Amino acid sequence: HAALKDEINTLLYSEFPAKKQPGADADNAEPLQLMLDKEKRLAEEAETNLNYVKASMHLNRRVIACPKDPNLWYDLGSVVVRSGDIAKAQECFREAVTVEPGHVPSLLAYGTLMTVR
């Protein structure tokens, strides 16, 4: 399941790259990306161990660092929904759609959660 999720996210990131933050300079881009990658790896490890609280914590750090990236909101919502917190997952997917109204994965996930409510 985690491998499939990684493949899907890789494809989505390649097709829909994250927009650059206004005012972000090149010197800050590399450390920021390193932090984002590290937190994602730690979240995946925690989720593999079924520690959804820890996984959510790592993904939340990514969202705090780049709140205008819908992919980060989507990742957080995906883990939160697997933990069983549907209301929080809906909030994450709604925020992703607020940031980028055409973010298809978040639209689909949010719509799906609204139907099972």
Side-chain angles (χ1 to χ4, degrees):
H1 175 71
L4 179 60
K5 180 182 165 230
D6 286 342
E7 287 182 40
I8 290 171
N9 281 335
T10 300
L11 176 64
L12 288 172
Y13 284 125
S14 68
E15 291 296 319
F16 306 103
K19 294 179 182 174
K20 299 263 185 199
Q21 295 291 320
D25 60 43
D27 293 338
N28 291 333
E30 190 174 319
L32 176 62
Q33 190 59 50
L34 290 173
M35 185 278 292
L36 294 173
D37 293 344
K38 177 185 175 188
E39 293 297 337
K40 181 166 176 92
R41 280 191 310 275
L42 292 170
E44 289 171 346
E45 181 181 325
E47 187 177 10
T48 300
N49 294 324
L50 303 177
N51 189 341
Y52 296 109
V53 172
K54 191 172 183 179
S56 296
M57 177 191 71
H58 289 295
L59 294 176
N60 199 47
R61 287 180 183 161
R62 297 175 80 214
V63 166
I64 290 169
C66 293
K68 299 294 183 189
D69 187 338
N71 294 308
L72 303 183
W73 283 105
Y74 175 77
D75 289 345
L76 177 58
S78 297
V79 167
V80 171
V81 78
R82 287 191 289 274
S83 75
D85 190 348
I86 303 302
K88 178 69 175 171
Q90 285 178 330
E91 183 182 321
C92 293
F93 295 136
R94 187 173 43 247
E95 186 62 34
V97 172
T98 300
V99 169
E100 186 177 315
H103 192 254
V104 175
S106 296
L107 285 168
L108 292 171
Y110 185 61
T112 301
L113 289 181
M114 292 303 290
T115 63
V116 296
R117 212 169 130 158

